[in-house]
């Protein structure tokens, strides 16, 4: 058990800090609450040997909004840095935290104030072992991750450029048999748009003269989704399909009253639009998938006598599970086993996260999901499992110790 390697006093301090941090209401956009959370974390990190700075940065929205970004540095990050990433914002305003057995029920308990508090506990554990934070350690805590914000992406692009490795303090997930996950692969994605143009005709008097754009779009959508494959393969999701005569599709807001009526059902539809996304695990797969979807559009147009335009937006790159972090991830499995628990690798997490916005996710080792597990994310029942909290404090300390110099008194 992690408790054997974690002094109770260290755990108690980390839990007290987590309760205080989750007690601060800091939903996305709440500048004052986010600033209080940033200040509390900055004070904790300063007391543990880091040099914190809080800067209020513009989100680029109109009217202008400024939110706090916390950067906490080690003694020397001039030649690159070990980058740790987290976020201070939550989806809901905070309620008072409470202990229920082996759970802390609190807003943001796992997403992701639990990961930030585990880092604070890990730094205390390092000190117990006679170690201080690595000189090139750099933590960035952003205020707008839950709303996919510009500040989060900007921070990853800026600080990821000179990073030698990236550790993300987002939560892991519970797994079978009491195990917990570590994320080593994240799918990339691109959104896409398809427009089909057919030939309108009277469906009773001139049915065979028409060319149905709806039929063409539906055939393409079915064939596109059939390219999806389990066990690490790509996925294609058709999120919206709108079809009908040109007036309906091109003026949908004003023509919506046609739905659930009998009007203009005697027209072969000559316009259709489909929108969706594709997700994939390796960069080459994304490029090949975009080409295959465009080729499928040309094939469908020829088969249906319609015109089809397909457009793929720029790709958000994936994190390859077999990238430069593979050996380190396997080492973490061994570290967990020594403490009596089982860590498993999530090699294809579907959601977009911090590492996807690195300039090149394949350049450096990336470990994600280092925070503790729990449940009820984004709800009033969100909780962190306290045994997992203990485990992750020790795991983070073990991970950071490789670069942590001894304390000289």
């Amino acid at each position: 058990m992690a408790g054997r390697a974690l002094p109770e006093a260290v755990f108690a301090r980390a839990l007290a800090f987590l309760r205080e941090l989750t007690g601060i209401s800091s939903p996305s956009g709440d500048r004052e609450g986010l600033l209080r959370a940033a200040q509390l974390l900055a004070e904790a990190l300063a007391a543990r040997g880091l040099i914190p700075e809080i800067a209020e940065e513009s989100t680029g929205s109109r009217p202008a909004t400024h939110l706090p970004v916390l950067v906490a540095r080690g003694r020397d990050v001039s030649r690159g840095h070990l980058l740790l990433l987290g976020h201070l914002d939550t989806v809901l305003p905070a309620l008072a935290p409470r202990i229920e057995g082996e759970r802390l029920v609190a807003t943001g308990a796992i997403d992701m104030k639990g990961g930030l508090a585990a880092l604070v506990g890990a730094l205390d554990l390092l000190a117990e072992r006679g170690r201080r934070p690595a000189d090139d350690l750099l933590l960035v805590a952003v205020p707008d991750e839950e709303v996919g914000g510009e500040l989060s992406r900007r921070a990853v692009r800026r600080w990821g450029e000179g990073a030698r490795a990236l550790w993300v303090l987002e939560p892991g997930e519970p797994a079978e048999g009491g195990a917990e996950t570590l994320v080593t692969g994240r799918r990339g994605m691109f959104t896409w748009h398809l427009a089909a143009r057919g030939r309108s005709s009277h469906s009773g008097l001139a049915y065979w003269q028409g060319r149905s754009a709806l039929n063409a779009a539906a055939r393409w959508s079915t064939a596109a989704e059939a390219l999806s494959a389990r066990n690490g393969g790509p996925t294609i999701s058709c999120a919206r399909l709108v079809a009908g005569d040109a007036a309906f599709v091109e003026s949908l807001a004003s023509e919506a009253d046609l739905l659930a009526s009998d009007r203009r059902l005697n027209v072969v539809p000559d316009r259709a639009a489909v929108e969706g996304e594709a997700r994939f695990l390796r960069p080459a797969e994304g490029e090949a998938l975009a080409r295959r979807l465009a080729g499928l559009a040309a094939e469908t147009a020829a088969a249906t006598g319609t015109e089809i335009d397909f457009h793929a937006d720029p790709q958000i790159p994936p994190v390859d599970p077999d990238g430069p972090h593979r050996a380190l991830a396997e080492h973490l499995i061994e570290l967990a086993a020594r403490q009596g628990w089982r860590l498993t690798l999530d090699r294809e997490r579907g959601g977009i996260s911090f590492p996807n916005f690195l300039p090149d996710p394949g350049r450096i080792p990336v470990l994600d999901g280092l925070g503790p597990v729990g449940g009820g994310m984004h709800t009033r029942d969100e909780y962190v499992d306290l045994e997992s909290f203990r485990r992750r404090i020790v795991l983070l300390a073990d991970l950071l110790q490789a670069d942590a110099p001894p304390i000289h008194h």
Side-chain angles (χ1 to χ4, degrees):
M1 300 291 287
R4 292 199 298 265
L6 181 64
E8 188 59 30
V10 173
F11 171 71
R13 286 197 301 272
L15 179 57
F17 175 76
L18 179 55
R19 293 189 71 162
E20 188 174 2
L21 187 61
T22 55
I24 296 174
S25 189
S26 58
S28 306
D30 181 350
R31 175 187 170 276
E32 296 303 321
L34 288 162
L35 184 58
R36 288 195 299 274
Q39 290 169 338
L40 180 66
L41 181 57
E43 291 169 4
L45 295 174
R48 290 159 176 84
L50 298 180
I51 305 166
E53 179 183 356
I54 300 173
E56 296 204 42
E57 299 187 13
S58 172
T59 62
S61 61
R62 293 187 178 181
T65 301
H66 290 77
L67 297 175
V69 176
L70 168 63
V71 178
R73 298 173 171 84
R75 299 184 180 189
D76 183 8
V77 295
S78 61
R79 294 182 297 276
H81 47 269
L82 168 61
L83 178 60
L84 277 69
L85 278 173
H87 64 88
L88 296 162
D89 60 322
T90 59
V91 171
L92 300 173
L95 296 180
R98 66 185 189 275
I99 297 287
E100 293 184 355
E102 274 296 297
R103 296 178 175 183
L104 173 68
V105 181
T107 310
I110 53 169
D111 190 20
M112 58 152 287
K113 293 179 177 181
L116 296 170
L119 172 63
V120 169
L123 295 177
D124 279 349
L125 183 53
L126 282 180
E128 290 278 328
R129 297 172 178 177
R131 302 277 179 166
R132 59 179 174 82
D135 289 343
D136 68 347
L137 189 149
L138 189 146
L139 168 75
V140 181
V142 294
D144 62 349
E145 190 275 344
E146 293 293 3
V147 290
E150 172 56 28
L151 295 181
S152 296
R153 299 186 186 210
R154 191 187 306 166
V156 176
R157 290 192 296 267
R158 176 184 177 185
W159 299 108
E161 186 69 37
R164 64 175 174 85
L166 169 61
W167 313 151
V168 181
L169 301 172
E170 289 273 27
E173 293 283 343
E176 291 183 8
E180 299 180 9
T181 67
L182 177 75
V183 179
T184 57
R186 278 196 183 268
R187 290 175 175 270
M189 66 165 288
F190 60 84
T191 54
W192 51 259
H193 311 268
L194 181 136
R197 293 177 298 279
R199 181 190 304 153
S200 180
S201 68
H202 191 293
S203 61
L205 302 176
Y207 175 81
W208 296 108
Q209 282 70 52
R211 296 291 182 268
S212 172
L214 190 160
N215 174 56
R219 287 176 63 169
W220 181 91
S221 299
T222 300
E225 290 207 344
L227 298 175
S228 299
R230 297 182 184 274
N231 300 320
T235 58
I236 298 91
S237 174
C238 299
R240 286 187 289 270
L241 190 160
V242 179
D245 60 75
F248 175 72
V249 174
E250 295 171 5
S251 304
L252 189 60
S254 60
E255 297 280 323
D257 62 345
L258 284 176
L259 295 172
S261 78
D262 293 332
R263 291 179 292 135
R264 297 198 336 232
L265 295 181
N266 59 346
V267 179
V268 173
D270 62 335
R271 293 289 189 276
V274 192
E275 298 175 328
E277 62 172 32
R279 298 193 183 234
F280 48 92
L281 200 51
R282 292 174 175 82
E285 293 174 355
E287 297 164 5
L289 191 57
R291 290 194 298 269
R292 181 68 187 97
L293 292 173
L296 184 60
E299 296 167 13
T300 306
T304 58
T306 60
E307 297 178 11
I308 299 179
D309 293 325
F310 173 82
H311 171 74
D313 292 327
Q315 296 186 11
I316 296 174
V319 178
D320 189 334
D322 295 314
H325 46 270
R326 180 175 179 178
L328 181 56
E330 296 290 343
H331 177 58
L332 287 184
I333 291 176
E334 296 174 3
L335 291 176
R338 292 175 194 171
Q339 299 299 330
W341 62 285
R342 190 161 60 89
L343 188 67
T344 64
L345 303 183
D346 185 346
R347 293 173 50 85
E348 54 172 303
R349 181 70 65 91
I352 299 299
S353 184
F354 291 118
N356 296 96
F357 298 110
L358 286 168
D360 177 7
R363 181 183 69 84
I364 58 175
V366 174
L367 295 177
D368 197 350
L370 284 165
V373 310
M377 188 182 297
H378 298 177
T379 75
R380 285 301 180 201
D381 298 317
E382 182 171 350
Y383 70 90
V384 62
D385 180 285
L386 295 181
E387 180 59 28
S388 176
F389 187 52
R390 290 182 176 89
R391 292 170 174 172
R392 297 296 176 137
I393 290 172
V394 177
L395 187 68
L396 276 170
D398 290 345
L399 177 61
L400 293 169
Q401 184 163 328
D403 300 299
I407 297 172
H408 296 295
H409 296 287

